[in-house]
Amino acid sequence: MSRWSIFALLALACNASKFLSVERQQSNTTESPCQCQGDTSSIPRPTRTKNKCVFIDLGAADGNSYKTFLQGLYGNIADCPNQEYEAILVEANPNFKAALDGVAAQSVPGKEVHAMMNGAFMCEADTTFHVTPATAASSMAPQPYGQDVHVHLINVIQLIKKWTIPGDKVLLKVDIEGAEFDIIPCLAQSDVLSSDITAFVEEHYFLGGVQRSMTGITDAEYNAAKETLKSKGVKMPHYSSATLIQKAA
């Protein structure tokens, strides 16, 4: 590696460190654009009868987690029912649209990929996301040095219902910059929970933890919600994904 490449990486790491330091100090003053919508009784399941793996990637970035899904990080693909899978890649940052469209273009029967340029939340609404170019992070929480973009939020609970049937192997990856502190408690109230689901949740305590919640969730309420998921059979292994900044370094 050249001397200039090393300097560039050090500068990138320094900028990321400054961003995280500012964001930790910054309180979240944004109100939630909608409230928990956990009832999916009016949402139909898919009409298919053949089971498969369904990889739901919340915070898909450029498709990097999908690539690790293919490598078996979320379970051996050979263990998928009928050795088939469907991947739903959800990302709010419009800067990743071209990359995700390219990934979705590789879709074939039995190995289907769909890109959705939306924010992932516990309810459906239109809102503003704040995108930080230095880290590729985006969220509804105020971000230092951020770029504001219009985003349509999709309801994750309804998403699970719309794309899965009983017996599917559902792999739910959640890396959404703190919105997990609102989604998980809502998911705990829903009617979609089952032992078919494994939830890989990146918990952003290093960005303030439940202070990122837009609905005032407490640590006790969040932890109780996780216990509810587990009591319904949902598996929640410890999960920490490598960010694009970490990969660059």
Side-chain angles (χ1 to χ4, degrees), residues 71-233:
Q71 295 166 1
L73 177 65
Y74 302 94
N76 194 335
I77 292 180
D79 295 333
C80 287
N82 300 299
Q83 295 191 344
E84 294 187 2
Y85 68 79
E86 196 158 12
I88 299 94
L89 313 181
V90 183
E91 174 56 50
N93 187 339
N95 297 322
F96 289 126
K97 185 178 188 308
L100 288 179
D101 285 347
V103 174
Q106 302 170 23
S107 180
V108 296
K111 296 177 174 58
E112 300 173 37
V113 185
H114 312 274
M116 304 178 67
M117 302 309 299
N118 297 101
F121 205 44
M122 60 181 181
C123 46
E124 190 167 349
D126 291 319
T127 191
T128 298
F129 258 54
H130 311 284
V131 177
T132 305
T135 64
S138 63
S139 76
M140 287 181 283
Q143 304 251 17
Y145 323 118
Q147 166 197 2
D148 290 351
V149 296
H150 176 79
V151 170
H152 182 73
L153 300 175
I154 57 172
N155 184 329
V156 172
I157 296 93
Q158 293 182 2
L159 186 72
I160 294 171
K161 182 76 173 286
K162 287 177 180 178
W163 288 89
T164 69
I165 62 174
D168 283 345
K169 186 175 181 179
V170 182
L171 307 169
L172 178 66
K173 173 248 170 175
V174 183
D175 186 2
I176 45 179
E177 304 305 309
E180 68 273 10
F181 296 111
D182 290 314
I183 290 178
I184 295 301
C186 185
L187 184 60
Q189 302 173 39
S190 75
D191 53 1
V192 300
L193 300 179
S194 78
S195 58
D196 294 337
I197 301 174
T198 301
F200 300 86
V201 182
E202 172 93 7
E203 297 177 316
H204 289 77
Y205 283 105
F206 67 97
L207 293 182
V210 293
Q211 294 179 23
R212 301 282 289 185
S213 167
M214 304 180 75
T215 58
I217 291 293
T218 65
D219 269 320
E221 290 169 332
Y222 177 70
N223 289 326
K226 290 198 296 182
E227 291 305 313
T228 297
L229 264 65
K230 294 175 184 177
S231 72
K232 297 293 180 66

Side-chain angles (χ1 to χ4, degrees), residues 56-75:
I56 301 175
D57 186 356
L58 309 180
D62 64 351
N64 58 324
S65 293
Y66 172 67
K67 294 173 185 175
T68 56
F69 161 72
L70 294 179
Q71 295 166 1
L73 177 65
Y74 302 94

Side-chain angles (χ1 to χ4, degrees), residues 2-62:
S2 71
R3 181 176 61 181
W4 296 114
S5 296
I6 293 173
F7 287 157
L9 288 175
L10 288 173
L12 183 63
C14 181
N15 288 337
S17 177
K18 288 179 181 178
F19 160 73
L20 293 176
S21 176
V22 171
E23 192 173 52
R24 286 192 192 100
Q25 299 170 23
Q26 189 166 0
S27 62
N28 179 9
T29 58
T30 305
E31 294 184 0
S32 176
C34 51
Q35 299 302 312
C36 173
Q37 298 167 353
D39 181 6
T40 67
S41 57
S42 63
I43 305 299
R45 294 274 190 182
T47 56
R48 63 179 170 84
T49 58
K50 193 176 182 181
N51 287 121
K52 62 175 73 173
C53 280
V54 181
F55 178 57
I56 301 175
D57 186 356
L58 309 180
D62 64 351

